[in-house]
Amino acid sequence: MRTDTPNVWQAVRDPSNRLRAVKSTEGLGMSTPTALSTAIDTAADAVARTAKVIVVIQQKGGAGKSTIAVNTAACAGRSAVMSNADESAGAPVVAAGIDVQGTLEKWCAGVREEALPFDFVVTRSKLDILPSIINDPERRRIIVDTPGFLDVDPDAEWGADPLGESRTADALREVLEVADLAIVPITPSKITWDECEYTIERVLKPRGIPFLVVINMHDPGKDKFETQLNKVKAWIDERNYPRVADPIRRYTIHEHAYENGTLVTEYKMSGTALKAREDFMRVALTMEQML
């Protein structure tokens, strides 16, 4: 179900999370008392709200962010505790998209409503929409899909905020301010490795956001692909990045999911469908352990 008018509640501030707020301002130009106070208020509000915000983020496009966001939301939605019998109440899990192209909206709009185990909202990079959803007491998990390519300033100095000065960059900053966890996709192909490291070292670590690396698009069953999988695992482990133990495998069934309006939880039953669902369920379970 699409959500456009979320219920809003007043969070009770608790200063117990001040350390993270101060740490998250380092190197991001938050030197003024006003900026520091805003950061502390944001962290304090995070303690009070029940929803946890998970952002799927990678500097490079083509790593499978939307697929991971939608299918992880589906697995989380199917596993969610239902605490309210009122069908008009919001779902515990919300999938959100901030991409101006509305990729997540197009995907979810094609899914049969009765097969959609989460609510979804698309901001198209408009500000002040997600905060009201995050503070809705009915919500437990907000999984945010981000644009295919990060808008970054190539001239940003080390330690400075590398995000650019655009509507999309501002929307991503808004999400990162309330993020409890980031999922960073990487593929066995080296084309995504440097961008994965950039995302973690330049965008997430300076903000103090915990992160989880997910290996995506692994071709199973051939020795050369297993060798490449071992290489990317070693690369991740050398940097002490936490990761999901096993990869999301590449299956043809995934490639047609967007156009067919299907989720991994709704694939026609087969051995491949069960393996595919297992991959995303593993991501959802590991995510829960990190939160």
Tab-separated table of all heavy atoms in Angstrom, residues 55 97-100 123-128 130-131 144 146-147 163-164 166-178:
chain	number	residue	atom	x	y	z
A	55	VAL	N	19.342	2.526	5.160
A	55	VAL	CA	19.537	3.144	3.853
A	55	VAL	C	20.423	2.247	3.006
A	55	VAL	O	21.478	1.793	3.454
A	55	VAL	CB	20.133	4.563	3.995
A	55	VAL	CG1	21.428	4.558	4.792
A	55	VAL	CG2	20.370	5.190	2.631
A	97	GLY	N	11.724	5.537	-1.381
A	97	GLY	CA	12.668	5.860	-2.448
A	97	GLY	C	12.856	7.350	-2.562
A	97	GLY	O	11.879	8.105	-2.571
A	98	ILE	N	14.104	7.800	-2.641
A	98	ILE	CA	14.357	9.239	-2.775
A	98	ILE	C	14.858	9.604	-4.163
A	98	ILE	O	15.129	10.767	-4.449
A	98	ILE	CB	15.359	9.740	-1.709
A	98	ILE	CG1	16.747	9.116	-1.905
A	98	ILE	CG2	14.838	9.452	-0.310
A	98	ILE	CD1	17.812	9.738	-1.014
A	99	ASP	N	14.987	8.618	-5.042
A	99	ASP	CA	15.457	8.852	-6.398
A	99	ASP	C	14.427	9.678	-7.161
A	99	ASP	O	13.229	9.373	-7.143
A	99	ASP	CB	15.664	7.499	-7.093
A	99	ASP	CG	16.356	7.632	-8.446
A	99	ASP	OD1	16.500	8.768	-8.934
A	99	ASP	OD2	16.744	6.601	-9.009
A	100	VAL	N	14.866	10.716	-7.853
A	100	VAL	CA	13.938	11.555	-8.619
A	100	VAL	C	13.278	10.768	-9.749
A	100	VAL	O	12.216	11.155	-10.248
A	100	VAL	CB	14.654	12.803	-9.192
A	100	VAL	CG1	15.086	13.730	-8.072
A	100	VAL	CG2	15.835	12.410	-10.053
A	123	THR	N	9.683	9.986	-2.442
A	123	THR	CA	9.801	11.427	-2.203
A	123	THR	C	10.273	12.182	-3.433
A	123	THR	O	10.102	13.389	-3.507
A	123	THR	CB	10.803	11.699	-1.065
A	123	THR	OG1	12.129	11.435	-1.521
A	123	THR	CG2	10.495	10.836	0.151
A	124	ARG	N	10.912	11.460	-4.385
A	124	ARG	CA	11.523	12.113	-5.547
A	124	ARG	C	12.401	13.280	-5.107
A	124	ARG	O	12.397	14.354	-5.694
A	124	ARG	CB	10.460	12.548	-6.551
A	124	ARG	CG	9.721	11.369	-7.189
A	124	ARG	CD	8.757	11.816	-8.271
A	124	ARG	NE	7.992	10.692	-8.793
A	124	ARG	CZ	8.390	9.902	-9.797
A	124	ARG	NH1	9.549	10.138	-10.365
A	124	ARG	NH2	7.636	8.914	-10.221
A	125	SER	N	13.132	13.043	-4.027
A	125	SER	CA	14.110	13.977	-3.457
A	125	SER	C	13.484	15.204	-2.801
A	125	SER	O	14.191	16.167	-2.492
A	125	SER	CB	15.145	14.415	-4.510
A	125	SER	OG	15.948	13.327	-4.891
A	126	LYS	N	12.180	15.185	-2.562
A	126	LYS	CA	11.581	16.272	-1.791
A	126	LYS	C	11.914	16.068	-0.320
A	126	LYS	O	11.963	14.947	0.166
A	126	LYS	CB	10.064	16.290	-1.987
A	126	LYS	CG	9.629	16.648	-3.392
A	126	LYS	CD	8.110	16.647	-3.513
A	126	LYS	CE	7.666	16.977	-4.927
A	126	LYS	NZ	6.189	16.927	-5.063
A	127	LEU	N	12.132	17.155	0.379
A	127	LEU	CA	12.517	17.091	1.789
A	127	LEU	C	11.286	17.074	2.704
A	127	LEU	O	10.182	17.402	2.289
A	127	LEU	CB	13.412	18.282	2.138
A	127	LEU	CG	14.721	18.407	1.343
A	127	LEU	CD1	15.501	19.637	1.805
A	127	LEU	CD2	15.567	17.158	1.483
A	128	ASP	N	11.521	16.665	3.963
A	128	ASP	CA	10.539	16.729	5.052
A	128	ASP	C	9.391	15.725	4.918
A	128	ASP	O	8.394	15.822	5.640
A	128	ASP	CB	9.940	18.146	5.184
A	128	ASP	CG	11.000	19.193	5.454
A	128	ASP	OD1	11.967	18.868	6.183
A	128	ASP	OD2	10.893	20.316	4.929
A	130	LEU	N	10.081	12.027	4.735
A	130	LEU	CA	10.491	10.861	5.518
A	130	LEU	C	10.432	11.075	7.030
A	130	LEU	O	10.033	10.169	7.761
A	130	LEU	CB	11.895	10.419	5.117
A	130	LEU	CG	11.994	9.622	3.813
A	130	LEU	CD1	13.439	9.277	3.513
A	130	LEU	CD2	11.165	8.353	3.882
A	131	PRO	N	10.840	12.251	7.554
A	131	PRO	CA	10.814	12.413	9.021
A	131	PRO	C	9.445	12.134	9.640
A	131	PRO	O	9.361	11.552	10.722
A	131	PRO	CB	11.232	13.871	9.210
A	131	PRO	CG	12.119	14.154	8.046
A	131	PRO	CD	11.486	13.411	6.895
A	144	VAL	N	15.313	2.465	2.841
A	144	VAL	CA	15.370	3.579	1.889
A	144	VAL	C	16.269	3.239	0.708
A	144	VAL	O	17.457	2.934	0.870
A	144	VAL	CB	15.872	4.864	2.573
A	144	VAL	CG1	15.831	6.031	1.589
A	144	VAL	CG2	15.036	5.180	3.809
A	146	THR	N	18.232	4.588	-2.561
A	146	THR	CA	18.870	5.853	-2.927
A	146	THR	C	19.154	5.885	-4.423
A	146	THR	O	19.093	4.858	-5.103
A	146	THR	CB	20.172	6.054	-2.136
A	146	THR	OG1	21.060	4.959	-2.397
A	146	THR	CG2	19.887	6.119	-0.645
A	147	PRO	N	19.471	7.056	-4.973
A	147	PRO	CA	19.703	7.162	-6.421
A	147	PRO	C	20.822	6.255	-6.915
A	147	PRO	O	21.709	5.864	-6.158
A	147	PRO	CB	20.067	8.639	-6.600
A	147	PRO	CG	19.412	9.327	-5.456
A	147	PRO	CD	19.496	8.365	-4.310
A	163	LEU	N	29.272	15.061	-0.451
A	163	LEU	CA	28.036	15.159	-1.214
A	163	LEU	C	27.915	16.527	-1.863
A	163	LEU	O	28.369	17.541	-1.319
A	163	LEU	CB	26.831	14.901	-0.303
A	163	LEU	CG	26.769	13.507	0.333
A	163	LEU	CD1	25.507	13.368	1.170
A	163	LEU	CD2	26.835	12.405	-0.711
A	164	GLY	N	27.306	16.559	-3.035
A	164	GLY	CA	27.215	17.788	-3.805
A	164	GLY	C	26.166	18.752	-3.268
A	164	GLY	O	25.652	18.605	-2.159
A	166	SER	N	22.930	19.654	-4.529
A	166	SER	CA	21.756	19.480	-5.379
A	166	SER	C	20.579	19.024	-4.532
A	166	SER	O	20.729	18.686	-3.356
A	166	SER	CB	22.034	18.429	-6.462
A	166	SER	OG	22.176	17.138	-5.886
A	167	ARG	N	19.415	19.009	-5.138
A	167	ARG	CA	18.207	18.541	-4.452
A	167	ARG	C	18.378	17.083	-4.014
A	167	ARG	O	17.997	16.709	-2.904
A	167	ARG	CB	17.023	18.693	-5.401
A	167	ARG	CG	15.733	18.050	-4.948
A	167	ARG	CD	14.623	18.439	-5.900
A	167	ARG	NE	13.498	17.505	-5.855
A	167	ARG	CZ	12.357	17.690	-6.488
A	167	ARG	NH1	12.209	18.767	-7.231
A	167	ARG	NH2	11.388	16.802	-6.402
A	168	THR	N	18.967	16.264	-4.885
A	168	THR	CA	19.169	14.854	-4.555
A	168	THR	C	20.157	14.684	-3.414
A	168	THR	O	19.948	13.868	-2.506
A	168	THR	CB	19.666	14.087	-5.792
A	168	THR	OG1	18.681	14.185	-6.829
A	168	THR	CG2	19.903	12.623	-5.467
A	169	ALA	N	21.242	15.455	-3.435
A	169	ALA	CA	22.231	15.376	-2.366
A	169	ALA	C	21.629	15.810	-1.037
A	169	ALA	O	21.897	15.209	0.011
A	169	ALA	CB	23.445	16.228	-2.706
A	170	ASP	N	20.803	16.843	-1.054
A	170	ASP	CA	20.155	17.302	0.176
A	170	ASP	C	19.186	16.246	0.710
A	170	ASP	O	19.074	16.042	1.927
A	170	ASP	CB	19.397	18.607	-0.082
A	170	ASP	CG	20.332	19.789	-0.278
A	170	ASP	OD1	21.518	19.683	0.116
A	170	ASP	OD2	19.884	20.814	-0.835
A	171	ALA	N	18.488	15.546	-0.197
A	171	ALA	CA	17.568	14.497	0.234
A	171	ALA	C	18.338	13.350	0.875
A	171	ALA	O	17.895	12.766	1.871
A	171	ALA	CB	16.763	13.992	-0.963
A	172	LEU	N	19.505	13.034	0.317
A	172	LEU	CA	20.317	11.972	0.905
A	172	LEU	C	20.852	12.387	2.267
A	172	LEU	O	20.885	11.579	3.201
A	172	LEU	CB	21.475	11.620	-0.033
A	172	LEU	CG	22.385	10.483	0.436
A	172	LEU	CD1	21.587	9.211	0.688
A	172	LEU	CD2	23.488	10.229	-0.586
A	173	ARG	N	21.250	13.640	2.415
A	173	ARG	CA	21.700	14.126	3.726
A	173	ARG	C	20.589	13.975	4.765
A	173	ARG	O	20.840	13.597	5.907
A	173	ARG	CB	22.123	15.600	3.626
A	173	ARG	CG	23.441	15.842	2.930
A	173	ARG	CD	23.877	17.297	3.100
A	173	ARG	NE	25.087	17.579	2.347
A	173	ARG	CZ	25.106	18.058	1.105
A	173	ARG	NH1	23.972	18.324	0.476
A	173	ARG	NH2	26.250	18.271	0.483
A	174	GLU	N	19.365	14.282	4.369
A	174	GLU	CA	18.239	14.167	5.296
A	174	GLU	C	18.082	12.728	5.772
A	174	GLU	O	17.830	12.475	6.955
A	174	GLU	CB	16.961	14.645	4.615
A	174	GLU	CG	15.733	14.598	5.512
A	174	GLU	CD	14.480	15.094	4.816
A	174	GLU	OE1	13.982	14.375	3.916
A	174	GLU	OE2	13.990	16.184	5.151
A	175	VAL	N	18.234	11.778	4.857
A	175	VAL	CA	18.123	10.366	5.225
A	175	VAL	C	19.275	9.952	6.131
A	175	VAL	O	19.090	9.267	7.139
A	175	VAL	CB	18.095	9.481	3.963
A	175	VAL	CG1	18.174	8.003	4.343
A	175	VAL	CG2	16.841	9.748	3.151
A	176	LEU	N	20.482	10.356	5.775
A	176	LEU	CA	21.660	9.960	6.544
A	176	LEU	C	21.619	10.506	7.964
A	176	LEU	O	22.172	9.898	8.890
A	176	LEU	CB	22.933	10.411	5.834
A	176	LEU	CG	23.229	9.705	4.503
A	176	LEU	CD1	24.414	10.363	3.803
A	176	LEU	CD2	23.497	8.222	4.715
A	177	GLU	N	20.967	11.639	8.159
A	177	GLU	CA	20.880	12.222	9.499
A	177	GLU	C	20.101	11.336	10.461
A	177	GLU	O	20.304	11.394	11.677
A	177	GLU	CB	20.225	13.609	9.427
A	177	GLU	CG	21.141	14.695	8.873
A	177	GLU	CD	20.428	16.033	8.778
A	177	GLU	OE1	19.231	16.094	9.160
A	177	GLU	OE2	21.047	17.006	8.316
A	178	VAL	N	19.209	10.492	9.919
A	178	VAL	CA	18.375	9.654	10.782
A	178	VAL	C	18.660	8.161	10.590
A	178	VAL	O	17.973	7.315	11.165
A	178	VAL	CB	16.874	9.933	10.532
A	178	VAL	CG1	16.520	11.347	10.958
A	178	VAL	CG2	16.509	9.708	9.066
